mmCIF file with all atom_site columns, all heavy atoms in Angstrom:
data_model
loop_
_atom_site.group_PDB
_atom_site.id
_atom_site.type_symbol
_atom_site.label_atom_id
_atom_site.label_alt_id
_atom_site.label_comp_id
_atom_site.label_asym_id
_atom_site.label_entity_id
_atom_site.label_seq_id
_atom_site.pdbx_PDB_ins_code
_atom_site.Cartn_x
_atom_site.Cartn_y
_atom_site.Cartn_z
_atom_site.occupancy
_atom_site.B_iso_or_equiv
_atom_site.pdbx_formal_charge
_atom_site.auth_seq_id
_atom_site.auth_comp_id
_atom_site.auth_asym_id
_atom_site.auth_atom_id
_atom_site.pdbx_PDB_model_num
ATOM 1   N N   . GLY A 1 39  ? 32.035 -36.019 5.104   1.00 93.00 ? 39  GLY A N   1
ATOM 2   C CA  . GLY A 1 39  ? 33.141 -35.831 4.173   1.00 93.00 ? 39  GLY A CA  1
ATOM 3   C C   . GLY A 1 39  ? 33.383 -37.072 3.332   1.00 93.00 ? 39  GLY A C   1
ATOM 4   O O   . GLY A 1 39  ? 33.662 -36.981 2.130   1.00 93.00 ? 39  GLY A O   1
ATOM 5   N N   . SER A 1 42  ? 30.659 -37.225 0.713   1.00 94.00 ? 42  SER A N   1
ATOM 6   C CA  . SER A 1 42  ? 30.921 -36.257 -0.346  1.00 94.00 ? 42  SER A CA  1
ATOM 7   C C   . SER A 1 42  ? 32.094 -36.676 -1.220  1.00 94.00 ? 42  SER A C   1
ATOM 8   O O   . SER A 1 42  ? 32.093 -36.449 -2.432  1.00 94.00 ? 42  SER A O   1
ATOM 9   C CB  . SER A 1 42  ? 31.197 -34.877 0.272   1.00 94.00 ? 42  SER A CB  1
ATOM 10  O OG  . SER A 1 42  ? 30.051 -34.370 0.900   1.00 94.00 ? 42  SER A OG  1
ATOM 11  N N   . LEU A 1 43  ? 33.114 -37.276 -0.610  1.00 94.00 ? 43  LEU A N   1
ATOM 12  C CA  . LEU A 1 43  ? 34.263 -37.754 -1.388  1.00 94.00 ? 43  LEU A CA  1
ATOM 13  C C   . LEU A 1 43  ? 33.811 -38.768 -2.431  1.00 94.00 ? 43  LEU A C   1
ATOM 14  O O   . LEU A 1 43  ? 34.142 -38.654 -3.625  1.00 94.00 ? 43  LEU A O   1
ATOM 15  C CB  . LEU A 1 43  ? 35.301 -38.368 -0.447  1.00 94.00 ? 43  LEU A CB  1
ATOM 16  C CG  . LEU A 1 43  ? 36.663 -38.746 -1.029  1.00 94.00 ? 43  LEU A CG  1
ATOM 17  C CD1 . LEU A 1 43  ? 37.720 -38.762 0.077   1.00 94.00 ? 43  LEU A CD1 1
ATOM 18  C CD2 . LEU A 1 43  ? 36.648 -40.110 -1.714  1.00 94.00 ? 43  LEU A CD2 1
ATOM 19  N N   . ILE A 1 44  ? 33.047 -39.764 -1.992  1.00 96.00 ? 44  ILE A N   1
ATOM 20  C CA  . ILE A 1 44  ? 32.593 -40.815 -2.912  1.00 96.00 ? 44  ILE A CA  1
ATOM 21  C C   . ILE A 1 44  ? 31.665 -40.232 -3.966  1.00 96.00 ? 44  ILE A C   1
ATOM 22  O O   . ILE A 1 44  ? 31.781 -40.538 -5.168  1.00 96.00 ? 44  ILE A O   1
ATOM 23  C CB  . ILE A 1 44  ? 31.903 -41.938 -2.123  1.00 96.00 ? 44  ILE A CB  1
ATOM 24  C CG1 . ILE A 1 44  ? 32.897 -42.602 -1.174  1.00 96.00 ? 44  ILE A CG1 1
ATOM 25  C CG2 . ILE A 1 44  ? 31.300 -42.968 -3.064  1.00 96.00 ? 44  ILE A CG2 1
ATOM 26  C CD1 . ILE A 1 44  ? 32.262 -43.532 -0.168  1.00 96.00 ? 44  ILE A CD1 1
ATOM 27  N N   . ASP A 1 46  ? 31.488 -37.191 -5.052  1.00 91.00 ? 46  ASP A N   1
ATOM 28  C CA  . ASP A 1 46  ? 32.191 -36.314 -5.988  1.00 91.00 ? 46  ASP A CA  1
ATOM 29  C C   . ASP A 1 46  ? 33.024 -37.091 -7.000  1.00 91.00 ? 46  ASP A C   1
ATOM 30  O O   . ASP A 1 46  ? 33.231 -36.615 -8.115  1.00 91.00 ? 46  ASP A O   1
ATOM 31  C CB  . ASP A 1 46  ? 33.071 -35.320 -5.223  1.00 91.00 ? 46  ASP A CB  1
ATOM 32  C CG  . ASP A 1 46  ? 32.551 -33.904 -5.360  1.00 91.00 ? 46  ASP A CG  1
ATOM 33  O OD1 . ASP A 1 46  ? 31.322 -33.743 -5.376  1.00 91.00 ? 46  ASP A OD1 1
ATOM 34  O OD2 . ASP A 1 46  ? 33.358 -32.974 -5.471  1.00 91.00 ? 46  ASP A OD2 1
ATOM 35  N N   . VAL A 1 47  ? 33.521 -38.271 -6.624  1.00 93.00 ? 47  VAL A N   1
ATOM 36  C CA  . VAL A 1 47  ? 34.163 -39.115 -7.630  1.00 93.00 ? 47  VAL A CA  1
ATOM 37  C C   . VAL A 1 47  ? 33.179 -39.382 -8.754  1.00 93.00 ? 47  VAL A C   1
ATOM 38  O O   . VAL A 1 47  ? 33.502 -39.285 -9.948  1.00 93.00 ? 47  VAL A O   1
ATOM 39  C CB  . VAL A 1 47  ? 34.649 -40.440 -7.004  1.00 93.00 ? 47  VAL A CB  1
ATOM 40  C CG1 . VAL A 1 47  ? 35.121 -41.402 -8.089  1.00 93.00 ? 47  VAL A CG1 1
ATOM 41  C CG2 . VAL A 1 47  ? 35.786 -40.190 -6.020  1.00 93.00 ? 47  VAL A CG2 1
ATOM 42  N N   . HIS A 1 165 ? 35.665 -30.766 5.567   1.00 93.00 ? 165 HIS A N   1
ATOM 43  C CA  . HIS A 1 165 ? 34.671 -31.395 4.686   1.00 93.00 ? 165 HIS A CA  1
ATOM 44  C C   . HIS A 1 165 ? 34.947 -31.081 3.228   1.00 93.00 ? 165 HIS A C   1
ATOM 45  O O   . HIS A 1 165 ? 34.914 -31.969 2.363   1.00 93.00 ? 165 HIS A O   1
ATOM 46  C CB  . HIS A 1 165 ? 33.263 -30.917 5.057   1.00 93.00 ? 165 HIS A CB  1
ATOM 47  C CG  . HIS A 1 165 ? 32.218 -31.401 4.098   1.00 93.00 ? 165 HIS A CG  1
ATOM 48  N ND1 . HIS A 1 165 ? 31.826 -30.684 2.996   1.00 93.00 ? 165 HIS A ND1 1
ATOM 49  C CD2 . HIS A 1 165 ? 31.518 -32.573 4.052   1.00 93.00 ? 165 HIS A CD2 1
ATOM 50  C CE1 . HIS A 1 165 ? 30.913 -31.365 2.330   1.00 93.00 ? 165 HIS A CE1 1
ATOM 51  N NE2 . HIS A 1 165 ? 30.712 -32.509 2.947   1.00 93.00 ? 165 HIS A NE2 1
ATOM 52  N N   . ARG A 1 166 ? 35.228 -29.808 2.922   1.00 90.00 ? 166 ARG A N   1
ATOM 53  C CA  . ARG A 1 166 ? 35.482 -29.437 1.523   1.00 90.00 ? 166 ARG A CA  1
ATOM 54  C C   . ARG A 1 166 ? 36.760 -30.094 1.003   1.00 90.00 ? 166 ARG A C   1
ATOM 55  O O   . ARG A 1 166 ? 36.856 -30.428 -0.178  1.00 90.00 ? 166 ARG A O   1
ATOM 56  C CB  . ARG A 1 166 ? 35.595 -27.932 1.392   1.00 90.00 ? 166 ARG A CB  1
ATOM 57  C CG  . ARG A 1 166 ? 34.316 -27.088 1.358   1.00 90.00 ? 166 ARG A CG  1
ATOM 58  C CD  . ARG A 1 166 ? 33.028 -27.793 1.333   1.00 90.00 ? 166 ARG A CD  1
ATOM 59  N NE  . ARG A 1 166 ? 31.910 -26.865 1.142   1.00 90.00 ? 166 ARG A NE  1
ATOM 60  C CZ  . ARG A 1 166 ? 30.765 -26.928 1.802   1.00 90.00 ? 166 ARG A CZ  1
ATOM 61  N NH1 . ARG A 1 166 ? 30.571 -27.886 2.695   1.00 90.00 ? 166 ARG A NH1 1
ATOM 62  N NH2 . ARG A 1 166 ? 29.788 -26.076 1.560   1.00 90.00 ? 166 ARG A NH2 1
ATOM 63  N N   . ALA A 1 167 ? 37.750 -30.292 1.879   1.00 91.00 ? 167 ALA A N   1
ATOM 64  C CA  . ALA A 1 167 ? 38.970 -30.971 1.445   1.00 91.00 ? 167 ALA A CA  1
ATOM 65  C C   . ALA A 1 167 ? 38.666 -32.422 1.081   1.00 91.00 ? 167 ALA A C   1
ATOM 66  O O   . ALA A 1 167 ? 39.154 -32.942 0.059   1.00 91.00 ? 167 ALA A O   1
ATOM 67  C CB  . ALA A 1 167 ? 40.025 -30.907 2.547   1.00 91.00 ? 167 ALA A CB  1
ATOM 68  N N   . MET A 1 168 ? 37.878 -33.107 1.903   1.00 93.00 ? 168 MET A N   1
ATOM 69  C CA  . MET A 1 168 ? 37.501 -34.485 1.590   1.00 93.00 ? 168 MET A CA  1
ATOM 70  C C   . MET A 1 168 ? 36.636 -34.540 0.335   1.00 93.00 ? 168 MET A C   1
ATOM 71  O O   . MET A 1 168 ? 36.809 -35.416 -0.526  1.00 93.00 ? 168 MET A O   1
ATOM 72  C CB  . MET A 1 168 ? 36.761 -35.110 2.780   1.00 93.00 ? 168 MET A CB  1
ATOM 73  C CG  . MET A 1 168 ? 37.608 -35.235 4.034   1.00 93.00 ? 168 MET A CG  1
ATOM 74  S SD  . MET A 1 168 ? 36.722 -35.947 5.434   1.00 93.00 ? 168 MET A SD  1
ATOM 75  C CE  . MET A 1 168 ? 36.562 -37.658 4.894   1.00 93.00 ? 168 MET A CE  1
ATOM 76  N N   . ASP A 1 169 ? 35.710 -33.594 0.229   1.00 90.00 ? 169 ASP A N   1
ATOM 77  C CA  . ASP A 1 169 ? 34.872 -33.499 -0.959  1.00 90.00 ? 169 ASP A CA  1
ATOM 78  C C   . ASP A 1 169 ? 35.731 -33.317 -2.212  1.00 90.00 ? 169 ASP A C   1
ATOM 79  O O   . ASP A 1 169 ? 35.503 -33.943 -3.257  1.00 90.00 ? 169 ASP A O   1
ATOM 80  C CB  . ASP A 1 169 ? 33.915 -32.316 -0.782  1.00 90.00 ? 169 ASP A CB  1
ATOM 81  C CG  . ASP A 1 169 ? 32.974 -32.129 -1.944  1.00 90.00 ? 169 ASP A CG  1
ATOM 82  O OD1 . ASP A 1 169 ? 33.359 -31.437 -2.915  1.00 90.00 ? 169 ASP A OD1 1
ATOM 83  O OD2 . ASP A 1 169 ? 31.860 -32.650 -1.887  1.00 90.00 ? 169 ASP A OD2 1
ATOM 84  N N   . THR A 1 170 ? 36.746 -32.467 -2.088  1.00 85.00 ? 170 THR A N   1
ATOM 85  C CA  . THR A 1 170 ? 37.596 -32.165 -3.236  1.00 85.00 ? 170 THR A CA  1
ATOM 86  C C   . THR A 1 170 ? 38.544 -33.309 -3.564  1.00 85.00 ? 170 THR A C   1
ATOM 87  O O   . THR A 1 170 ? 38.998 -33.432 -4.708  1.00 85.00 ? 170 THR A O   1
ATOM 88  C CB  . THR A 1 170 ? 38.392 -30.874 -2.968  1.00 85.00 ? 170 THR A CB  1
ATOM 89  O OG1 . THR A 1 170 ? 37.479 -29.848 -2.580  1.00 85.00 ? 170 THR A OG1 1
ATOM 90  C CG2 . THR A 1 170 ? 39.130 -30.413 -4.211  1.00 85.00 ? 170 THR A CG2 1
ATOM 91  N N   . ALA A 1 171 ? 38.850 -34.149 -2.582  1.00 90.00 ? 171 ALA A N   1
ATOM 92  C CA  . ALA A 1 171 ? 39.627 -35.347 -2.897  1.00 90.00 ? 171 ALA A CA  1
ATOM 93  C C   . ALA A 1 171 ? 38.867 -36.197 -3.908  1.00 90.00 ? 171 ALA A C   1
ATOM 94  O O   . ALA A 1 171 ? 39.453 -36.773 -4.836  1.00 90.00 ? 171 ALA A O   1
ATOM 95  C CB  . ALA A 1 171 ? 39.912 -36.140 -1.624  1.00 90.00 ? 171 ALA A CB  1
ATOM 96  N N   . GLY A 1 172 ? 37.549 -36.269 -3.743  1.00 88.00 ? 172 GLY A N   1
ATOM 97  C CA  . GLY A 1 172 ? 36.730 -36.961 -4.738  1.00 88.00 ? 172 GLY A CA  1
ATOM 98  C C   . GLY A 1 172 ? 36.741 -36.253 -6.071  1.00 88.00 ? 172 GLY A C   1
ATOM 99  O O   . GLY A 1 172 ? 36.779 -36.885 -7.134  1.00 88.00 ? 172 GLY A O   1
ATOM 100 N N   . ALA A 1 173 ? 36.707 -34.910 -6.025  1.00 81.00 ? 173 ALA A N   1
ATOM 101 C CA  . ALA A 1 173 ? 36.772 -34.149 -7.271  1.00 81.00 ? 173 ALA A CA  1
ATOM 102 C C   . ALA A 1 173 ? 38.107 -34.332 -7.973  1.00 81.00 ? 173 ALA A C   1
ATOM 103 O O   . ALA A 1 173 ? 38.208 -34.169 -9.196  1.00 81.00 ? 173 ALA A O   1
ATOM 104 C CB  . ALA A 1 173 ? 36.536 -32.668 -6.979  1.00 81.00 ? 173 ALA A CB  1
ATOM 105 N N   . LEU A 1 174 ? 39.143 -34.652 -7.214  1.00 84.00 ? 174 LEU A N   1
ATOM 106 C CA  . LEU A 1 174 ? 40.457 -34.913 -7.794  1.00 84.00 ? 174 LEU A CA  1
ATOM 107 C C   . LEU A 1 174 ? 40.501 -36.288 -8.454  1.00 84.00 ? 174 LEU A C   1
ATOM 108 O O   . LEU A 1 174 ? 41.069 -36.466 -9.532  1.00 84.00 ? 174 LEU A O   1
ATOM 109 C CB  . LEU A 1 174 ? 41.520 -34.822 -6.705  1.00 84.00 ? 174 LEU A CB  1
ATOM 110 C CG  . LEU A 1 174 ? 42.986 -34.834 -7.114  1.00 84.00 ? 174 LEU A CG  1
ATOM 111 C CD1 . LEU A 1 174 ? 43.329 -33.612 -7.933  1.00 84.00 ? 174 LEU A CD1 1
ATOM 112 C CD2 . LEU A 1 174 ? 43.873 -34.911 -5.885  1.00 84.00 ? 174 LEU A CD2 1
ATOM 113 N N   . LEU A 1 175 ? 39.859 -37.273 -7.799  1.00 89.00 ? 175 LEU A N   1
ATOM 114 C CA  . LEU A 1 175 ? 39.877 -38.640 -8.315  1.00 89.00 ? 175 LEU A CA  1
ATOM 115 C C   . LEU A 1 175 ? 38.912 -38.835 -9.482  1.00 89.00 ? 175 LEU A C   1
ATOM 116 O O   . LEU A 1 175 ? 39.161 -39.656 -10.365 1.00 89.00 ? 175 LEU A O   1
ATOM 117 C CB  . LEU A 1 175 ? 39.530 -39.614 -7.192  1.00 89.00 ? 175 LEU A CB  1
ATOM 118 C CG  . LEU A 1 175 ? 40.525 -39.684 -6.032  1.00 89.00 ? 175 LEU A CG  1
ATOM 119 C CD1 . LEU A 1 175 ? 39.967 -40.550 -4.902  1.00 89.00 ? 175 LEU A CD1 1
ATOM 120 C CD2 . LEU A 1 175 ? 41.865 -40.218 -6.505  1.00 89.00 ? 175 LEU A CD2 1
ATOM 121 N N   . GLY A 1 176 ? 37.794 -38.074 -9.482  1.00 88.00 ? 176 GLY A N   1
ATOM 122 C CA  . GLY A 1 176 ? 36.790 -38.256 -10.524 1.00 88.00 ? 176 GLY A CA  1
ATOM 123 C C   . GLY A 1 176 ? 37.306 -38.015 -11.938 1.00 88.00 ? 176 GLY A C   1
ATOM 124 O O   . GLY A 1 176 ? 37.178 -38.880 -12.810 1.00 88.00 ? 176 GLY A O   1
ATOM 125 N N   . PRO A 1 177 ? 37.897 -36.837 -12.220 1.00 84.00 ? 177 PRO A N   1
ATOM 126 C CA  . PRO A 1 177 ? 38.431 -36.614 -13.571 1.00 84.00 ? 177 PRO A CA  1
ATOM 127 C C   . PRO A 1 177 ? 39.525 -37.606 -13.950 1.00 84.00 ? 177 PRO A C   1
ATOM 128 O O   . PRO A 1 177 ? 39.634 -38.002 -15.117 1.00 84.00 ? 177 PRO A O   1
ATOM 129 C CB  . PRO A 1 177 ? 38.990 -35.186 -13.490 1.00 84.00 ? 177 PRO A CB  1
ATOM 130 C CG  . PRO A 1 177 ? 38.215 -34.546 -12.397 1.00 84.00 ? 177 PRO A CG  1
ATOM 131 C CD  . PRO A 1 177 ? 37.971 -35.626 -11.394 1.00 84.00 ? 177 PRO A CD  1
ATOM 132 N N   . LEU A 1 286 ? 41.652 -31.513 -12.607 1.00 85.00 ? 286 LEU A N   1
ATOM 133 C CA  . LEU A 1 286 ? 42.530 -32.015 -11.550 1.00 85.00 ? 286 LEU A CA  1
ATOM 134 C C   . LEU A 1 286 ? 43.332 -30.885 -10.904 1.00 85.00 ? 286 LEU A C   1
ATOM 135 O O   . LEU A 1 286 ? 43.607 -30.913 -9.705  1.00 85.00 ? 286 LEU A O   1
ATOM 136 C CB  . LEU A 1 286 ? 43.490 -33.071 -12.103 1.00 85.00 ? 286 LEU A CB  1
ATOM 137 C CG  . LEU A 1 286 ? 42.885 -34.409 -12.534 1.00 85.00 ? 286 LEU A CG  1
ATOM 138 C CD1 . LEU A 1 286 ? 43.976 -35.315 -13.106 1.00 85.00 ? 286 LEU A CD1 1
ATOM 139 C CD2 . LEU A 1 286 ? 42.197 -35.087 -11.373 1.00 85.00 ? 286 LEU A CD2 1
ATOM 140 N N   . ALA A 1 289 ? 41.052 -29.048 -8.497  1.00 86.00 ? 289 ALA A N   1
ATOM 141 C CA  . ALA A 1 289 ? 40.764 -29.904 -7.346  1.00 86.00 ? 289 ALA A CA  1
ATOM 142 C C   . ALA A 1 289 ? 41.973 -30.051 -6.429  1.00 86.00 ? 289 ALA A C   1
ATOM 143 O O   . ALA A 1 289 ? 41.841 -30.043 -5.200  1.00 86.00 ? 289 ALA A O   1
ATOM 144 C CB  . ALA A 1 289 ? 40.287 -31.277 -7.823  1.00 86.00 ? 289 ALA A CB  1
ATOM 145 N N   . ALA A 1 290 ? 43.168 -30.173 -7.010  1.00 90.00 ? 290 ALA A N   1
ATOM 146 C CA  . ALA A 1 290 ? 44.367 -30.333 -6.188  1.00 90.00 ? 290 ALA A CA  1
ATOM 147 C C   . ALA A 1 290 ? 44.624 -29.089 -5.351  1.00 90.00 ? 290 ALA A C   1
ATOM 148 O O   . ALA A 1 290 ? 44.941 -29.171 -4.154  1.00 90.00 ? 290 ALA A O   1
ATOM 149 C CB  . ALA A 1 290 ? 45.577 -30.636 -7.085  1.00 90.00 ? 290 ALA A CB  1
ATOM 150 N N   . PHE A 1 292 ? 42.381 -26.816 -4.447  1.00 91.00 ? 292 PHE A N   1
ATOM 151 C CA  . PHE A 1 292 ? 41.286 -26.760 -3.477  1.00 91.00 ? 292 PHE A CA  1
ATOM 152 C C   . PHE A 1 292 ? 41.577 -27.690 -2.297  1.00 91.00 ? 292 PHE A C   1
ATOM 153 O O   . PHE A 1 292 ? 41.432 -27.325 -1.123  1.00 91.00 ? 292 PHE A O   1
ATOM 154 C CB  . PHE A 1 292 ? 39.996 -27.166 -4.187  1.00 91.00 ? 292 PHE A CB  1
ATOM 155 C CG  . PHE A 1 292 ? 38.722 -26.858 -3.430  1.00 91.00 ? 292 PHE A CG  1
ATOM 156 C CD1 . PHE A 1 292 ? 37.499 -27.033 -4.045  1.00 91.00 ? 292 PHE A CD1 1
ATOM 157 C CD2 . PHE A 1 292 ? 38.734 -26.404 -2.122  1.00 91.00 ? 292 PHE A CD2 1
ATOM 158 C CE1 . PHE A 1 292 ? 36.316 -26.769 -3.372  1.00 91.00 ? 292 PHE A CE1 1
ATOM 159 C CE2 . PHE A 1 292 ? 37.560 -26.128 -1.430  1.00 91.00 ? 292 PHE A CE2 1
ATOM 160 C CZ  . PHE A 1 292 ? 36.349 -26.321 -2.061  1.00 91.00 ? 292 PHE A CZ  1
ATOM 161 N N   . LEU A 1 293 ? 42.012 -28.916 -2.607  1.00 90.00 ? 293 LEU A N   1
ATOM 162 C CA  . LEU A 1 293 ? 42.293 -29.910 -1.573  1.00 90.00 ? 293 LEU A CA  1
ATOM 163 C C   . LEU A 1 293 ? 43.392 -29.433 -0.624  1.00 90.00 ? 293 LEU A C   1
ATOM 164 O O   . LEU A 1 293 ? 43.280 -29.556 0.602   1.00 90.00 ? 293 LEU A O   1
ATOM 165 C CB  . LEU A 1 293 ? 42.698 -31.225 -2.239  1.00 90.00 ? 293 LEU A CB  1
ATOM 166 C CG  . LEU A 1 293 ? 43.161 -32.361 -1.319  1.00 90.00 ? 293 LEU A CG  1
ATOM 167 C CD1 . LEU A 1 293 ? 42.028 -32.791 -0.398  1.00 90.00 ? 293 LEU A CD1 1
ATOM 168 C CD2 . LEU A 1 293 ? 43.650 -33.540 -2.145  1.00 90.00 ? 293 LEU A CD2 1
#
Side-chain angles (χ1 to χ4, degrees):
S42 294
L43 189 156
I44 297 169
D46 248 37
V47 171
H165 173 268
R166 281 355 187 223
M168 296 179 71
D169 181 273
T170 308
L174 190 65
L175 296 173
L286 291 178
F292 194 172
L293 174 63

